[in-house]
Amino acid sequence: MTAVAEIMDYDEVLERFDPVLGLEVHVELSTDTKMFCGCPNFFGSDPNTQVCPVCLGMPGALPVVNGKAVESAIRIGLALNCEVAEQCRFARKNYFYPDMPKNFQTSQYDEPIVFEGHLDVVLDDGETFRVGIERAHMEEDTGKSLHVGGADGRIHGAEHSLLDYNRAGVPLIEIVTKPITGAGHRAPEVARAYVTALRDLLRSMHVSDVRMDQGSLRCDANVSLSPKGSGEFGTRTETKNVNSLRSVERAVRYEMRRHAAVLASGGEIVQETRHFDESTASTSSGRPKETAEDYRYFPEPDLVPIAPSQEWVEQLRTTLPELPWQRRRRVQQDWQLSDEELRDLVNAGALDLVAATVDAGASPAEARSWWVAYLSQQANERGVDLASLPITPEQVARVVELVGEGTLTHKLARQVVDGVLAGKGDPDEVVAAEGIEVVSDDSALQSAIDEALAAQPDVADKIRGGKVQAAGAIVGAVMKATQGQADAKRVRELVLASCGQE
Amino acid sequence: MTSTASGGDAELTGLSASELAAKISAGETSSEEVTRAHLDRIAAVDPEVHAFLHVDADGAVEAARGADEARSAGGAASPLAGVPLALKDVLTTSDMPTTCGSKMLEDWTSPYDSTVVQRLRAAGVVVLGKTNMDEFAMGSSTENSAYGPTRNPWDTDRVPGGSGGGSSAALAAFEAPLAIGTDTGGSIRQPAAVTGTVGVKPTYGGVSRHGLVAFSSSLDQAGPCGRTVLDAALLHEVIAGHDPMDATSIDAPVPRVTAAAREGAAGDLRGVRVGVVREFGGQGYQEGVQQSFRAAVDQLTELGAEVVEVSCPHFEHALSAYYLIAPSECSSNLARFDAMRYGLRVGDDGSRSTEEVMSLTREAGFGPEVKRRIMLGTYALSAGYYEAYYGQAQKVRTLVTRDFAAAFEQVDVLVSPTTPTTAFRIGERVEDPMAMYLADLCTIPSNLAGNASMSVPSGLSAEDGLPVGLQIMAPPMADDRLYRIGAAYETARDAATGGTLLDRVPRLEVAS
Ligand SMILES: [Zn+2]
């Protein structure tokens, strides 16, 4: 196998080279049925239970285009500021692979449905970077191969392979950027921010599950380096198997450093597909191709051209939901956030969650505070995205409500949230099951106060003498005695009353 | 109709489909009786003719009883209810194998019925079995079948045409009164011509391709075959019409072909403008074929048609374009036969890789003509050659279509011989693919342009006594014109010769 590649210090890479990126994102559409047949499009079913003659490529079977998928493709194009083709065709991409039933993929080649657009991407410091979109086209997904007996489920060394065609024919949109230049040292960050923005956009449009972990959003990262100031593009590599947002950034960064090391030592970059390894954050060469792949594209004769009418396109434009960046602008005004506060919210991946929590009844300030502070911390500790925490905006809103009612103190509220995160149920269930409740029985509190006053007679005297600030020591003792379950405000009132200071 | 059919109830097997339907409908006979008569005839003559790859006697009798029950319950499903039919083995059937004449699909049974078969069943038509063909419909003689050639009932040393030679031979041998063929470059019309039967390639998109195992998707079209124009029309109306399972299917009413055939039989073609394609004749055309063609044109004139000569200058390039487009599409369509999911699998002994098993299977499963076309098409689509071959061929296709459009400005239909020669001898052209390809010279333009086209018998060639076909071509979705003119001509020809052409087919040796 290949030796560990030399890599160059990142700062040095940037002194000598300008990075050029190209990102190809495949998105599985969440249509009810597949691209060319009526099979259900549902993730996670038993192998080969969602198949028919069409998606199995049986002799005589013919494709019929899923109108809903075309609609999604056009809406995505509009959201990406693209032009919509007046007429476009499908093509056949011919190559043999067992997980592709017809041994050609029905795709679009030189006639994509949408083209020439852009996506404005907000970077960590709030700056906006415009990524050009070259095209987005429709195609069908392949089935899945499971190689048994080899290492890591890869084909090398496998004894046999199993095929699952449930995914064969699932509608895909491939979104291809124009070459991304001028990002400089921020290139890896731009790559991550772009995929993040795209994911958020598609999620808000309800066209895809956009789950990188389940493969419904997949990113191939093309990287090349151009000698500083030369303006000439270098040879690119295409890195696959980039399965998280963080990996997008790391894969780009690694390839930049590897390319630079190869070029600096007088070597040449091999145009190839590389495989990203999450565990080592490095890439390795895919199986080298003996000859350049010739896909023998030609127009798909089983399908007629698609010609979306102007009226349809305009009608679809009106169905676009509030797009993430529009929403950001509105939220900033409604919630009266500074640029910095908004950026923190966006960076924490909390905007949608806060908004949903507000929709569920919480105040923007409370909602923001929970997600950006305590819950972000919990997510970090668990090493997951904020959105992946097992708590819903509705549950957070309920906790906020319980605090507002005085049922919970802030401290108790955290205990309840911990209970929810631990899978103990809804906030109310956790409160009931754990017996977490503010001690509001005045008689129970009174005896604790009497004990505390008796234990600190000098303090008691000070209060009686009008030094109400001294009450804090007694309140603290009572809170300690009640293990925090008392409402401190009420305790203070009762302490002052006991000392005749109402 | 006097009959030369024997082995099986000659009274019944000699009748046309419309005559049989009428007798069944009147209760003079039953579908079961008719079906059994044809099954007996098949048993008697098919060992010699070899029109069928599979005969489903039990299924046919069962379907016939169903048709009889429906009739006695007062509900004949269609004008062809209870009439038997021979189905080209390239249309999928869920109750019989579909081999496409290939080892690749030996014993393969489809999990679904093609739309054509669904419509036949719904119409109460009885499917007798599946007919022989050139492998994956590639050929003009049925010699490319992996299961041996079919013989022409007119001379069993000769081919019945191809690729649908099984269907045309079954008709000429009175094994079935109706048949389904498919036509990519002439595979319905050329076999019809050389067996003295009627074959129609409907407008592309007129009949669903769902379940038609694809050879060349943009050219393939299923169509009706019969011994009379009226029978073909009745069958045409059963199988045609929009199908949501085929994106290239035309969503428009089916041309009223049966009414047109009945109107044509009255024999009046006054006001009809007929164009003779100047480019189809002369060198390479058998003299007897040309004589028969000229006589047919004279007959049309006598019926009142106005005949003019029309030039279609790009037709001479149609054959070359066809032999780039069809193989290109075939190289992609046949890629699915890879031993992974169905069909033949060779060499899977646990030691070989997927790629090796795929290669060994395709090596063993495909015959030489199929391999030739896959290689030709793969080459034509390759980077660096695409524009010169596939791209150029598509331009020719456009020019051929324009020739037709220009011609149909002047005339209602075009006519030509269906094929330059009569049936050739088995083996005669096997070693010479170019000679074989020339058999489709006159039929290919209609496939490239997607228009409707028919072959109707025009008599026997003087020098060899073998059948000759007259090709009639009409604009897309004007299939009814074929039937009107075809029926008019057929009626006049039969009147002139005192009987149908098939009255003169030699008696076959009947197996005892
Ligand atoms: Zn399916």
Side-chain angles (χ1 to χ4, degrees), chain A residues 53 56-64 92 94 96 98 100-104 165 294 296-299 301-304, chain B residues 108 111-112 209-213 217 244-248 332-333 335-338 341-342 354 378 381-383 386 390:
Chain A
L56 284 176
M58 299 297 263
L62 294 174
V64 178
R92 292 186 181 179
N94 294 286
F96 281 80
M100 197 167 55
K102 297 166 293 182
N103 286 317
F104 62 78
Y165 292 105
D294 180 355
R296 289 173 282 118
Y297 280 101
F298 73 102
D302 284 331
L303 294 170
V304 293
Chain B
W108 178 73
Y112 70 101
R209 292 186 297 115
H210 171 242
L212 192 182
V213 181
S217 312
M245 297 291 281
D246 174 1
T248 61
S332 175
N333 282 330
R336 70 190 62 198
F337 301 106
D338 63 1
R341 291 160 298 279
Y342 47 77
T354 305
T378 303
L381 289 175
S382 298
Y386 180 91
Y390 188 82

Side-chain angles (χ1 to χ4, degrees), chain B residues 176-256:
Chain B
L178 293 173
I180 296 288
T182 63
D183 191 313
T184 307
S187 289
I188 287 176
R189 290 161 289 161
Q190 182 260 5
V194 301
T195 56
T197 58
V198 177
V200 177
K201 182 199 92 69
T203 299
Y204 181 80
V207 176
S208 171
R209 292 186 297 115
H210 171 242
L212 192 182
V213 181
F215 156 23
S216 179
S217 312
S218 73
L219 300 164
D220 295 342
Q221 184 59 218
C225 307
R227 287 190 294 260
T228 72
V229 172
L230 177 62
D231 285 1
L234 290 165
L235 184 54
H236 189 127
E237 291 194 358
V238 166
I239 60 173
H242 181 242
D243 178 12
M245 297 291 281
D246 174 1
T248 61
S249 156
I250 294 172
D251 191 0
V254 177
R256 301 190 59 230

Side-chain angles (χ1 to χ4, degrees), chain A residues 59-60, chain B residues 53 88-92 97-108 130-138 144-147 163 211-215 334 337 365-366 370:
Chain B
L53 292 177
K88 189 176 179 183
D89 202 21
V90 72
L91 287 147
T92 60
T98 301
T99 70
C100 301
S102 179
K103 287 286 175 204
M104 190 61 93
L105 288 177
E106 191 164 15
D107 299 328
W108 178 73
K130 309 288 287 278
T131 58
N132 199 11
M133 56 187 281
D134 285 303
E135 186 176 6
F136 288 107
M138 298 176 203
N144 295 333
S145 168
Y147 304 100
S163 65
L212 192 182
V213 181
F215 156 23
L334 270 61
F337 301 106
F366 289 140
V370 171

